[in-house]
Amino acid sequence: MSRNKVAMMPMIRLNFARLAALLAAALALSAPAHAESGWGLLNMTKGVTAISRRVYDLHMEIFEICVAIAIVVFGVMIWSIVKFRKSKGAVADTTLVHSTRVEVMWTAIPVVILIVMAVPAARTLVVIEDTTNTQLSIKVTGFQWGWQYDYLDQGVSFISRLDRQSDAARALGSGTDPNTIEHYLLNVDHPLVVPVGTKVRLLLTGADVIHSWWVPDFGVKKDAIPGFVNEAWFNVDTDRPGLYRGQCAELCGRDHGFMPIVVDVRSKEDFAAWVKDELAQKQATAPAAQAPAASTAAAPAPAPAASTATGPGAAAPAAG
Amino acid sequence: MAEHSNAASHADHDHHDHKPHGWRRWVFATNHKDIGTMYLIFACTMFFIGGFMAMLIRLELFKPGMQFFDPQFFNSMTTMHALIMIFGAVMPAWTGLANWMIPMQVGAPDMALPRLNNFSFWILPFAFTLLIGTLFVPGGAPAGGWTMYPPLVLQNGASFPMLIFAVHMMGASSILGAINVVVTIMNMRAPGMTLLRMPLFTWTWLITAYLLIAVMPVLAGAVTMLLTDHFFGTTFFTAAGGGDPVMFQHIFWFFGHPEVYILILPAFGIVSEIIPTFSRKPLFGYEAMVYATASIAFLSFIVWAHHMFTVGMPLAAQLFFMLSTMLIAVPTGVKVFNWTATMWKGSLTFEPPMLFALAFLFLFSIGGFSGLMLGIVPADYQYQDTYFVVAHFHYVLVPGAIFAIMGGVYYWLPKWVGNMYDMTLAKWHFWLSTIFVNVLFFPQHFLGLAGMPRRIPDYAVQFTDWNMVSSIGGFGFGLSQLLFVYVIVKCVWSGKRVETGRVWEGAHGLEWELPTPAPYHSWTEAPSDSIIAKGAAH
């Protein structure tokens, strides 16, 4: 009888496994066919900066330590569950209620493990917090619902919002299948443009409520708080120009889910050319484009730039 | 001592199970069991209302694109779901269990302050009527998140003052309930029931009660400042007037982190009762468990800013909060190791309470691991405000706190009503809940790491697959809970009689020395020292 019960357990587990596989298969069939599958999206990005890679390594290190601890602790638990069953005739050893040696051990060992975790974390944090020697400063103002970017030394500034295609498709009952929109909800009309290999400093603030500027590939997430200025920085690898996407990460009202961030990282030359273009355009439309930062919400939205979705290494955007 | 002699003489002329009938029994209730029952029914009702909102959230998130709701309504659902589950479901469930069990466990006839007890319960239906009523006012229900961060929270419409007043009422109810627990434990223990003989559930609740008394006034203060900022021209949280929106976050999380332990410490207590019973072995390291609980409670006051690493704090502050947060892993680890050691060389059986306690052990630990990861500041910059956080706190709250509550109900229900429930159905409830809760929350780790922010009503298409899985898990989990109600109702109505006082073979503690079902007034005469010693069993 007791043998039967023991034998049942793996069988039940097996059935659940089969059930799960079936369920997964059914899901895969019912899911609409779109280009990139989401099943493989399981882990944090390594990103394209030295910091984002350090953060990734740190994340993996802590994760692996946790998995190792879990294997040991869960192993003992499972062993106890399997081995010390009453149905298998296990008799309780009621004297086993205290052991100073064991208790000191399992207090001390975790402390050591924590120190092993804390040291690299603290080191990385010190580097992240070093905002000196930056080469380009951009003021980032989050507002409901979009971002304003002001290049402090170049005199370039613009507003960046969700692109029109996504904006139309995301309306309730739009009838548009999001799978047909390129970079649905992760595309903007006017991306932030920065050069590679440059320590870019962001000065973040909020115009109305708190927002949070997050680009996973840079390992940067920082709150944009009205009335205060926060600092963050990133330095994209010279061999990794391209388009990098993120979103507002702090609940900021109705359209919080619809204020993406796109950063167009270019070679230094392309960036210089872009600045020149922007300034030229600004001159050409000087009277109209004088909308200062104070009236962000009322500022005319720049014309949509269809070229933001064209991929890494794109030439100057067709905005204008 | 006076209490005990009073209680004894009271019992002399008070008839067995004398109680008022009809609605008066409930409205004017002063009996700890009646009030406990009302708390539990209230909590269960809120669990289903909050759960229904979660179903709506998972429905909208089943696939990309806005299918059903306006984003503002979606935000209201996430906000209300959290407020209702935290303040309406989990906290009242704990108070309900405390009401039922603490007098029985410490050898008292009732709670120390029965009328206060009545008041603290009856505040709740009004508080939640007010809160849920916000769904029907202009501007809709609060939509700025349960954390009520300014300036966003100030953009709520007519719901704003209602939200604040509802929070005030919930806080008052919690404080009164906590005072009652402290007074009961400090003054109503039977002679011989020394502090270090108390069962772990009573111990953890004592510590929880102190946490409640310490931090609920802080929350009340924080939301009152919001109220005056909104209506009376103060600028506590407005930079233009010399205030600081981040100060609210500091004050809120100074409440909020101890609150997290308010939700989980009694769960530690219940698990510490259930595992020894079904291992037929006393709890391993009883004193270490008590001290670990106290350490966790102390640490909970100095870790609050780990909820807000991205607000831009000085390096030293971030390092301090990272280290203090990591330190919590030590006492928490001690607890998990002690539970494991309790099972070691035990004689285990797997009745529903034990199943829930075991699921708690594994799944709460997973939540603990992700919590440790979240404490690492540079990594937290990537995790903060993503679904990784959502997965983390749901792992500690659902298979953590809520599984412990369910385990506690399955553990004590036969004692309460004198009937045994349908074991097979209860096991079905367990397995369905455990499988679906993982289908629901495990993929959210992936979503968060892959870059999906929390609190968004719509998402980029690459997140579709895991969101679908999560939603299916959500619907499955939600439906499984109907079975829980059915098992309880069936048990109360037509369960098989339980004759023995000690319902479970390995159960220890004073509650099992009372007859089954537990008499209306628990210990009308203080239990003898030998009974207490037998119950303590460590």
Side-chain angles (χ1 to χ4, degrees):
Chain A
M1 162 113 190
S2 58
R3 268 230 67 79
N4 260 346
K5 242 182 180 169
V6 179
M8 285 266 293
M9 281 308 290
M11 217 177 75
I12 290 171
R13 294 234 173 91
L14 208 72
N15 281 344
F16 285 138
R18 197 175 297 162
L19 202 73
L22 267 174
L23 197 72
L27 262 173
L29 283 177
S30 67
H34 45 81
E36 72 270 56
S37 162
W39 297 113
L41 288 175
L42 304 174
N43 203 358
M44 184 190 285
T45 174
K46 283 186 188 168
V48 293
T49 69
I51 291 292
S52 70
R53 275 189 302 276
R54 275 184 84 151
V55 169
Y56 173 84
D57 290 341
L58 198 58
H59 154 73
M60 286 313 286
E61 181 203 318
I62 310 295
F63 173 69
E64 280 153 14
I65 293 174
C66 286
V67 169
I69 299 171
I71 288 171
V72 175
V73 177
F74 290 177
V76 178
M77 287 178 193
I78 291 167
W79 178 263
S80 308
I81 292 169
V82 173
K83 182 97 200 272
F84 305 118
R85 303 175 155 247
K86 197 186 177 207
S87 59
K88 278 181 73 183
V91 179
D93 176 1
T94 51
T95 59
L96 188 65
V97 291
H98 178 67
S99 159
T100 309
R101 196 199 310 165
V102 174
E103 287 176 69
V104 167
M105 225 169 63
W106 69 41
T107 310
I109 294 174
V111 172
V112 175
I113 297 175
L114 290 178
I115 292 169
V116 169
M117 291 176 172
V119 170
R123 286 212 175 118
T124 307
L125 189 59
V126 169
V127 179
I128 291 175
E129 288 295 314
D130 177 12
T131 49
T132 56
N133 299 320
T134 52
Q135 295 150 288
L136 174 66
S137 293
I138 302 169
K139 183 176 154 214
V140 179
T141 311
F143 63 90
Q144 288 175 320
W145 289 275
W147 301 94
Q148 169 162 336
Y149 298 109
D150 298 280
Y151 291 68
L152 294 183
D153 299 320
Q154 286 71 16
V156 174
S157 66
F158 54 86
I159 282 170
S160 176
R161 291 177 196 262
L162 182 67
D163 75 315
R164 284 188 181 175
Q165 267 196 311
S166 292
D167 202 33
R170 63 107 176 180
L172 193 59
S174 70
T176 313
D177 180 0
N179 290 293
T180 61
I181 311 279
E182 208 168 352
H183 299 294
Y184 177 61
L185 298 188
L186 290 180
N187 211 7
V188 297
D189 52 8
H190 204 155
L192 175 67
V193 181
V194 296
V196 292
T198 306
K199 190 168 180 181
V200 180
R201 178 171 66 150
L202 301 178
L203 297 160
L204 301 119
T205 190
D208 33 44
V209 300
I210 302 173
H211 304 267
S212 191
W213 196 89
W214 179 34
V215 175
D217 280 313
F218 300 168
V220 171
K221 184 185 288 144
K222 201 71 153 188
D223 291 359
I225 300 164
F228 290 83
V229 177
N230 261 334
E231 277 185 302
W233 66 272
F234 58 86
N235 189 345
V236 180
D237 296 349
T238 42
D239 58 342
R240 299 301 292 271
L243 287 167
Y244 300 100
R245 297 168 199 280
Q247 282 177 273
C248 176
E250 178 66 50
L251 178 62
C252 58
R254 184 177 179 273
D255 284 351
H256 161 59
F258 308 101
M259 50 182 290
I261 296 154
V262 180
V263 185
D264 182 354
V265 183
R266 301 181 182 193
S267 69
K268 288 184 183 174
E269 301 76 50
D270 285 356
F271 174 73
W274 173 82
V275 170
K276 215 182 234 175
D277 270 10
E278 287 287 310
L279 289 174
Q281 273 168 33
K282 191 177 163 190
Q283 299 253 275
T285 56
Q290 281 303 316
S295 59
T296 46
S307 69
T308 53
T310 50
Chain B
M1 289 302 105
E3 289 86 350
H4 300 301
S5 54
N6 273 349
S9 67
H10 191 62
D12 290 338
H13 51 80
D14 201 3
H15 294 291
H16 239 70
D17 284 14
H18 164 82
K19 57 191 154 203
H21 292 283
W23 60 272
R24 282 166 204 279
R25 175 177 171 189
W26 305 104
V27 173
F28 303 135
T30 51
N31 177 281
H32 74 102
K33 297 192 177 72
D34 286 348
I35 294 171
T37 304
M38 289 197 290
Y39 263 111
L40 290 173
I41 291 172
F42 178 82
C44 192
T45 310
M46 288 299 138
F47 180 60
F48 279 95
I49 294 174
F52 180 71
M53 291 173 174
M55 296 300 102
L56 297 184
I57 292 169
R58 286 316 320 170
L59 186 68
E60 180 59 60
L61 292 175
F62 186 74
K63 59 180 197 169
M66 299 302 297
Q67 278 90 33
F68 302 101
F69 310 122
D70 184 86
Q72 185 74 11
F73 181 76
F74 181 90
N75 290 345
S76 290
M77 284 299 100
T78 55
T79 305
M80 295 288 279
H81 164 73
L83 287 168
I84 288 173
M85 285 304 200
I86 293 167
F87 294 102
V90 177
M91 289 171 72
W94 287 136
T95 315
L97 290 170
N99 257 296
W100 258 99
M101 299 318 301
I102 288 175
M104 287 164 73
Q105 288 196 327
V106 300
D110 203 307
M111 295 293 277
L113 307 162
R115 288 195 172 77
L116 190 83
N117 206 2
N118 175 295
F119 184 47
S120 75
F121 170 75
W122 279 110
I123 292 174
L124 284 180
F126 293 94
F128 281 87
T129 305
L130 191 63
L131 182 67
I132 294 170
T134 57
L135 283 164
F136 308 103
V137 299
W146 82 279
T147 48
M148 301 177 279
Y149 282 3
L152 183 62
V153 71
L154 304 173
Q155 293 183 349
N156 284 316
S159 69
F160 176 75
M162 296 167 77
L163 167 69
I164 301 298
F165 193 46
V167 170
H168 275 149
M169 287 203 282
M170 295 166 201
S173 163
S174 296
I175 292 169
L176 298 181
I179 288 173
N180 209 350
V181 167
V182 171
V183 176
T184 303
I185 296 175
M186 286 309 183
N187 295 295
M188 302 277 284
R189 276 175 290 126
M193 176 57 81
T194 58
L195 283 177
L196 282 176
R197 269 180 170 178
M198 290 197 315
L200 249 291
F201 179 67
T202 298
W203 249 120
T204 51
W205 236 113
L206 179 64
I207 292 168
T208 302
Y210 276 111
L211 288 181
L212 277 166
I213 293 168
V215 300
M216 294 313 284
V218 177
L219 175 67
V223 298
T224 305
M225 286 191 267
L226 287 178
L227 197 71
T228 60
D229 266 13
H230 195 284
F231 292 110
F232 306 117
T234 58
T235 53
F236 289 112
F237 308 126
T238 311
D244 181 352
V246 176
M247 184 172 76
F248 177 85
Q249 300 184 21
H250 281 291
I251 301 172
F252 180 86
W253 287 114
F254 185 80
F255 144 79
H257 201 80
E259 168 70 17
V260 171
Y261 291 108
I262 287 164
L263 299 174
I264 201 68
L265 290 185
F268 291 166
I270 284 192
V271 170
S272 305
E273 308 262 334
I274 293 175
I275 290 182
T277 294
F278 297 96
S279 303
R280 290 164 184 76
K281 222 182 119 219
L283 184 67
F284 189 91
Y286 168 87
E287 286 188 25
M289 288 300 238
V290 172
Y291 298 137
T293 309
S295 315
I296 292 172
F298 168 73
L299 287 172
S300 76
F301 285 105
I302 56 165
V303 298
W304 75 87
H306 69 213
H307 294 269
M308 36 189 287
F309 278 138
T310 59
V311 296
M313 278 181 287
L315 174 63
Q318 296 186 65
L319 284 174
F320 171 79
F321 285 109
M322 175 172 83
L323 297 175
S324 60
T325 301
M326 293 173 80
L327 217 49
I328 291 190
V330 177
T332 313
V334 166
K335 289 194 151 289
V336 172
F337 301 143
N338 278 332
W339 289 321
T340 311
T342 304
M343 297 196 294
W344 188 260
K345 293 196 176 172
S347 174
L348 277 63
T349 52
F350 302 91
E351 287 86 346
M354 183 63 162
L355 291 174
F356 276 98
L358 288 174
F360 172 95
L361 213 50
F362 284 94
L363 302 178
F364 177 81
S365 297
I366 291 178
F369 288 130
S370 57
L372 185 58
M373 294 171 76
L374 282 157
I376 308 293
V377 182
D380 180 80
Y381 290 156
Q382 294 283 44
Y383 308 139
Q384 169 87 25
D385 276 316
T386 69
Y387 259 85
F388 190 79
V389 178
V390 177
H392 159 71
F393 66 69
H394 279 99
Y395 258 88
V396 290
L397 281 177
V398 184
I402 287 177
F403 271 30
I405 291 168
M406 288 172 174
V409 169
Y410 281 129
Y411 186 50
W412 285 311
L413 184 63
K415 188 81 214 174
W416 298 339
V417 301
N419 294 341
M420 184 49 83
Y421 46 85
D422 185 330
M423 286 272 181
T424 314
L425 277 184
K427 284 182 185 176
W428 268 99
H429 170 233
F430 168 77
W431 283 108
L432 288 172
S433 299
T434 303
I435 291 163
F436 280 122
V437 88
N438 284 294
V439 176
L440 166 57
F441 294 121
F442 206 81
Q444 295 183 359
H445 291 112
F446 305 147
L447 287 169
L449 292 176
M452 180 169 162
R454 65 189 284 209
R455 292 167 163 167
I456 57 172
D458 193 4
Y459 48 82
V461 293
Q462 66 264 36
F463 301 130
T464 310
D465 300 321
W466 289 120
N467 267 300
M468 279 187 176
V469 174
S470 182
S471 287
I472 289 170
F475 303 142
F477 183 78
L479 288 175
S480 308
Q481 302 322 308
L482 298 174
L483 196 53
F484 181 52
V485 177
Y486 178 72
V487 172
I488 293 173
V489 170
K490 193 178 160 203
C491 169
V492 175
W493 248 255
S494 61
K496 216 174 124 227
R497 290 295 302 162
V498 178
E499 304 294 345
T500 52
R502 189 179 310 281
V503 176
W504 312 104
E505 186 188 39
H508 285 281
L510 283 184
E511 72 263 40
W512 308 107
E513 306 294 336
L514 286 165
T516 301
Y520 195 58
H521 299 287
S522 293
W523 289 97
T524 46
E525 268 175 71
S528 71
D529 200 59
S530 64
I531 292 180
I532 293 172
K534 194 172 102 193
H538 54 255

